[in-house]
């Protein structure tokens, strides 16, 4: 069986996870489920990035030790992933011994090899925030976080010699043009960072101690990115007694990241791996951000929206449908309460829900719920819808394979719309009135086929809706699989339910928009 190893970023447990964090994870799960449908042995890793000064400070502010804080946050994260039915295979936390022990070893080895050297870190330090900033990060020469004065300071630090590997990475970029997706991000990394020459990276700090201690120099802790990025291999047992997962799954097939952290994944991570003599991941895809009408989500603006209340009120499938559809490939998307309710009412309730209900209603009315077998006589309109859905399936698979998930969903809804149009074009009620039963049978058969295909195509991200459709139509198990998508004539002796259940009850727009606005904090 072919394997597929994919990862989400490991999240900072600095606050409650909002829909942006949920997006990356929902996307990862969708890709995993798709790969499984296509016969891959897929392995999904997620987890938490628990070290660093920020976490230490948040814990303090909450009157907790850092460990107590991250333990609680890890529990909450797992609760959310369980609510979202995320089927991760492992959840790595950077405070776990299986990680810290290996980070120590990696640091040692890189030091011995001469890739890591001791020098001085110089930057603009904000005393109250206890954080260094680079010149370009400052806003009007002041701290970008709190706006107060900053001071130029120096600190003894270890650095990673990026320059040593830069040429190899440039060569790798040339030889692997699809390494970074989308292409625009790759060009950005290449032109703005690789070509002008990489700066060496500071990989240790002495100004705080919540981190993995450098064994040979314990006043230093390993600075965040070397600690964080290596989670992708420590979770597989790299340099541990049992590294069978590493053997099986490395290199990763896909690292999913947000656009803000592509620099670390696309430049530093490959270089760390080169230094460790390990193969590089096959692809890194950087998605955009979920934005609000008034820009980024932030507590101070009171515009942060969390997944839980949305899922509770509108269901998991609706939530996933919305965020995955709204985020175009590599682009930012916008969350608005109006947009959310509109997509629900139009796409889910009207287009998909009604299609199922109308279809079941007609089969019951005209044929007592029976679909017997592939019809003998096929009209031009029937042929057209067959062809349309064949082409759709092909395109949708291509979109999934290249991680254009929003396009895959949009194309599936083109098929939904086309099927609705097919009902209008064939006008089954007239065929019935005119007693053209063979033609009518064929229309019903093609409707069920379309719905069966749609149900399979949405399975990776709308499991429950998919199941409900297949159950109401009474589709046999063997015709519920991705492999059976291309079969078009195998349905036989099916009796659809005579008690159709509404998939998505219509929402009253104004009330729901208000409801969602009240969910924002
Ligand atoms: N800990 C690092 C990642 C280390 S990976 C080795 C980190 N954590 S984070 O919690 O700040 O962000 C995690 C992910 O969430 C990032 O990919 C980031 O882009 C993503 N998002 C944060 N806000 C987001 C939105 N509003 N929309 C979409 N994704 C967002 O960075």
């Amino acid at each position: 069986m072919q394997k597929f190893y994919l990862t989400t970023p490991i999240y900072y447990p600095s606050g409650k996870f909002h829909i942006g964090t949920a997006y990356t994870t929902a996307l990862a799960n969708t890709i995993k489920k798709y790969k499984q449908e296509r016969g891959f042995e897929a392995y999904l890793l997620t987890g938490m990035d628990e070290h660093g000064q920020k976490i230490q400070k948040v814990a303090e502010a909450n009157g907790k030790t850092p460990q107590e804080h991250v333990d609680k946050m890890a529990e909450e994260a797992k609760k959310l992933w369980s609510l979202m039915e995320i089927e991760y295979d492992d959840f790595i936390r950077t405070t776990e011994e299986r990680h810290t022990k290996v980070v120590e070893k990696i640091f040692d080895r890189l030091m011995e090899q001469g890739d890591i050297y001791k020098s001085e870190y110089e930057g603009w330090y904000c005393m109250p925030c206890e954080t260094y900033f680079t010149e370009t990060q400052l806003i009007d020469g002041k701290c970008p976080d709190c706006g107060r004065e900053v001071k130029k300071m120096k600190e003894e630090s270890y650095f990673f010699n990026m320059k040593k590997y830069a040429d190899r990475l440039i060569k790798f970029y040339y030889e692997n043009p699809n390494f970074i997706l989308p292409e625009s991000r790759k060009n950005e990394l290449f032109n703005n960072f690789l070509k002008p020459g990489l700066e060496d990276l500071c990989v240790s700090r002495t100004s705080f101690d919540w981190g993995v201690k450098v064994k040979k120099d314990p006043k230093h802790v390993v600075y965040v990115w070397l600690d964080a990025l290596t989670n992708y291999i420590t979770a597989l047992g790299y340099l541990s007694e049992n590294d069978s997962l590493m053997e099986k799954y490395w290199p990763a097939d896909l690292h999913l990241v947000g656009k803000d952290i592509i620099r670390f994944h696309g430049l530093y991570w490959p270089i760390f791996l080169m230094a460790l003599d390990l193969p590089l991941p096959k692809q890194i895809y950087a998605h955009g951000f979920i934005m609000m009408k008034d820009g980024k989500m932030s507590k101070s603006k009171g515009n942060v929206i969390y997944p839980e209340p949305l899922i509770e009120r509108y269901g998991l499938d609706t939530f996933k449908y919305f965020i995955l559809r709204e985020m175009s490939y590599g682009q930012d998307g916008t969350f608005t309460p109006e947009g959310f309710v509109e997509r629900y009412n139009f796409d889910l309730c009207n287009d998909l829900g009604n299609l199922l209900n109308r279809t079941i209603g007609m089969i019951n009315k005209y044929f007592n719920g029976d679909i017997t077998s592939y019809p003998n006589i096929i009209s031009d309109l029937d042929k057209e819808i067959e062809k349309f859905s064949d082409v759709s399936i092909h395109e949708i698979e291509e979109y999934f394979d290249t991680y254009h998930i929003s396009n895959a969903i949009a194309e599936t809804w083109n098929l939904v719309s086309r099927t609705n149009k097919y009902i209008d074009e064939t006008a089954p009620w007239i065929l019935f009135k005119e007693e053209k039963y063979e033609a009518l049978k064929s229309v019903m058969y093609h409707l069920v086929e379309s719905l069966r295909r749609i149900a399979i195509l949405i399975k990776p991200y709308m499991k429950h809706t998919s199941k409900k459709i297949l159950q109401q139509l009474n589709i046999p198990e063997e015709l519920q699989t991705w492999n059976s998508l291309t079969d078009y004539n195998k349905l036989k002796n099916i009796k659809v339910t005579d008690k159709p259940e509404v998939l998505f009850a219509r929402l009253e727009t104004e009330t729901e928009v208000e409801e969602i606005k009240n969910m924002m904090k």
Side-chain angles (χ1 to χ4, degrees):
M1 215 193 245
Q2 235 183 312
K3 65 92 186 172
F4 193 87
Y5 175 38
L6 83 160
T7 66
T8 74
I10 47 170
Y11 303 102
Y12 287 131
S14 41
K16 203 171 140 50
F17 293 169
H18 55 54
I19 60 168
T21 329
Y23 169 71
T24 320
T25 312
L27 181 68
N29 198 62
T30 302
I31 296 172
K32 174 181 175 181
K33 297 310 293 170
Y34 168 72
K35 285 289 171 187
Q36 284 181 324
E37 289 287 334
R38 302 307 306 270
F40 284 76
E41 195 173 347
Y43 192 90
L44 170 61
L45 174 70
T46 191
M48 290 219 311
D49 188 359
E50 302 186 340
H51 289 132
Q53 195 170 23
K54 214 171 189 174
I55 307 299
Q56 198 168 3
K57 294 185 80 178
V58 174
E60 258 168 42
N62 290 326
K64 289 199 165 73
T65 65
Q67 192 62 54
E68 282 166 355
H69 171 74
V70 295
D71 284 349
K72 182 169 162 277
M73 292 299 291
E75 246 171 62
E76 283 189 16
K78 286 182 180 169
K79 223 161 70 194
L80 176 59
W81 302 149
S82 141
L83 177 71
M84 285 175 57
E85 297 175 1
I86 303 297
E87 296 175 31
Y88 56 81
D89 297 277
D90 197 359
F91 186 101
I92 178 109
R93 301 176 54 191
T94 53
T95 52
E96 285 173 281
E97 206 181 80
R98 62 171 171 151
H99 178 77
T100 55
K101 279 259 175 306
V102 179
V103 172
E104 279 173 9
K105 284 188 201 165
I106 290 174
F107 202 96
D108 264 7
R109 173 171 162 190
L110 296 176
M111 228 162 35
E112 269 165 33
Q113 284 176 199
D115 289 326
I116 287 179
Y117 62 91
K118 201 190 256 185
S119 180
E120 266 181 340
Y121 180 82
E122 195 179 48
W124 293 96
Y125 194 72
C126 173
M127 290 286 184
C129 294
E130 294 175 33
T131 310
Y132 274 104
F133 297 100
T134 59
E135 184 95 37
T136 49
Q137 285 174 317
L138 301 180
I139 298 176
D140 298 329
K142 305 241 165 74
C143 170
D145 283 352
C146 72
R148 280 179 274 208
E149 293 293 331
V150 287
K151 226 172 116 186
K152 195 149 212 179
M153 293 216 345
K154 273 185 189 168
E155 183 183 326
E156 177 189 282
S157 286
Y158 285 95
F159 282 82
F160 188 97
N161 185 352
M162 290 288 161
K163 295 185 187 82
K164 180 172 159 192
Y165 295 93
D167 284 345
R168 258 175 79 185
L169 187 59
I170 290 178
K171 189 160 169 267
F172 186 83
Y173 267 59
Y174 275 122
E175 285 167 359
N176 298 276
N178 294 323
F179 177 49
I180 307 284
L181 301 171
E183 204 186 346
S184 56
R185 294 272 166 227
K186 179 193 73 184
N187 296 339
E188 225 172 83
L189 290 187
F190 195 82
N191 295 328
N192 301 352
F193 296 96
L194 262 181
K195 253 186 165 166
L198 279 182
E199 295 289 314
D200 286 354
L201 181 77
C202 175
V203 288
S204 84
R205 283 294 152 94
T206 51
S207 48
F208 62 93
D209 64 357
W210 179 240
V212 180
K213 290 204 168 39
V214 173
K215 236 183 166 170
K216 292 187 177 139
D217 197 354
K219 70 173 185 294
H220 288 262
V221 294
V222 178
Y223 189 49
V224 204
W225 284 98
L226 181 60
D227 176 14
L229 288 162
T230 47
N231 89 87
Y232 302 132
I233 51 177
T234 59
L236 296 183
Y238 176 63
L239 296 185
S240 76
E241 267 161 37
N242 180 0
D243 64 355
S244 56
L245 286 174
M246 187 73 190
E247 284 285 313
K248 182 168 174 185
Y249 286 113
W250 193 258
D253 293 272
L254 178 67
H255 289 312
L256 276 176
V257 299
K259 63 179 183 181
D260 54 331
I261 55 173
I262 184 65
R263 197 153 60 87
F264 302 99
H265 285 78
L267 302 173
Y268 304 137
W269 179 225
I271 288 184
F272 291 151
L273 288 164
M274 282 177 185
L276 294 171
D277 239 340
L278 287 171
L280 306 197
K282 294 194 187 134
Q283 282 188 314
I284 306 172
Y285 167 57
H287 63 71
F289 264 52
I290 300 190
M291 306 294 282
M292 305 305 273
K293 259 189 273 190
D294 49 353
K296 271 196 170 183
M297 268 183 270
S298 84
K299 278 194 194 150
S300 55
K301 285 189 201 158
N303 67 354
V304 185
I305 182 117
Y306 298 100
E308 293 90 343
L310 287 171
I311 295 171
E312 197 178 308
R313 191 163 178 90
Y314 307 106
L316 181 58
D317 283 8
T318 303
F319 174 68
K320 285 187 181 169
Y321 174 81
F322 181 84
I323 51 173
L324 293 167
R325 169 113 200 220
E326 215 56 41
M327 296 285 286
S328 299
Y329 182 71
Q331 307 284 312
D332 289 347
T334 314
F335 179 93
T336 62
E338 294 81 5
F340 189 90
V341 176
E342 204 168 284
R343 283 229 176 269
Y344 178 100
N345 273 342
F346 285 94
D347 302 3
L348 303 181
C349 166
N350 275 5
D351 293 351
L352 180 61
N354 283 351
L355 174 62
L356 179 72
N357 257 339
R358 281 168 94 188
T359 302
I360 292 179
M362 289 191 288
I363 301 172
N364 275 314
K365 181 167 170 200
Y366 303 144
F367 298 110
N368 202 20
D370 292 325
I371 294 284
T372 46
S373 62
Y374 190 70
N376 298 320
I377 309 158
I378 307 285
S379 75
D380 283 349
L381 286 171
D382 302 341
K383 269 187 216 145
E384 242 179 72
I385 184 98
E386 272 189 38
K387 178 98 188 298
F388 187 96
S389 83
D390 281 345
V391 174
S392 268
I393 290 170
H394 189 72
E395 281 179 15
I396 291 163
E397 287 179 345
E398 211 157 291
Y399 283 136
F400 269 119
D401 287 334
T402 54
Y403 318 126
H404 288 65
I405 306 304
S406 167
N407 298 71
I409 300 176
E411 185 51 39
T412 309
W413 257 257
N414 281 343
L415 179 56
V416 173
S417 301
R418 183 65 191 85
T419 311
N420 275 315
K421 193 169 148 218
Y422 170 74
I423 300 183
D424 299 339
E425 288 169 343
T426 52
W429 47 93
I430 296 179
L431 296 176
F432 182 66
K433 215 161 118 197
E434 295 176 354
E435 298 182 9
K436 293 181 178 155
Y437 297 124
E438 282 308 307
L440 186 59
K441 254 190 202 164
S442 178
V443 173
M444 295 304 117
Y445 190 96
H446 283 85
L447 285 177
V448 173
E449 261 304 0
S450 246
L451 274 162
R452 180 185 75 90
R453 286 178 156 192
I454 291 161
I456 297 171
L457 291 165
I458 65 173
K459 225 193 261 184
Y461 52 96
M462 292 177 89
K463 185 169 91 181
H464 301 284
T465 308
S466 166
K467 199 166 168 194
K468 280 184 199 163
I469 297 173
L470 295 166
Q471 268 174 355
Q472 295 196 37
L473 295 173
N474 253 319
I475 305 291
E477 292 246 323
E478 67 277 13
L479 292 175
Q480 300 192 5
T481 64
W482 203 278
N483 276 342
S484 74
L485 264 179
T486 42
D487 297 335
Y488 208 91
N489 52 6
K490 299 240 169 87
L491 286 174
K492 245 193 203 118
N493 303 330
I494 281 173
K495 197 171 192 64
V496 303
T497 181
D498 55 359
K499 293 182 197 68
E501 184 202 328
V502 172
L503 292 180
F504 299 95
R506 196 168 181 80
L507 297 177
E508 210 287 297
T509 305
E510 270 172 41
T511 319
E512 298 310 319
V513 166
E514 270 317 298
E515 281 285 341
I516 298 174
K517 280 186 183 159
N518 289 334
M519 290 175 190
M520 293 184 186
K521 292 202 173 94

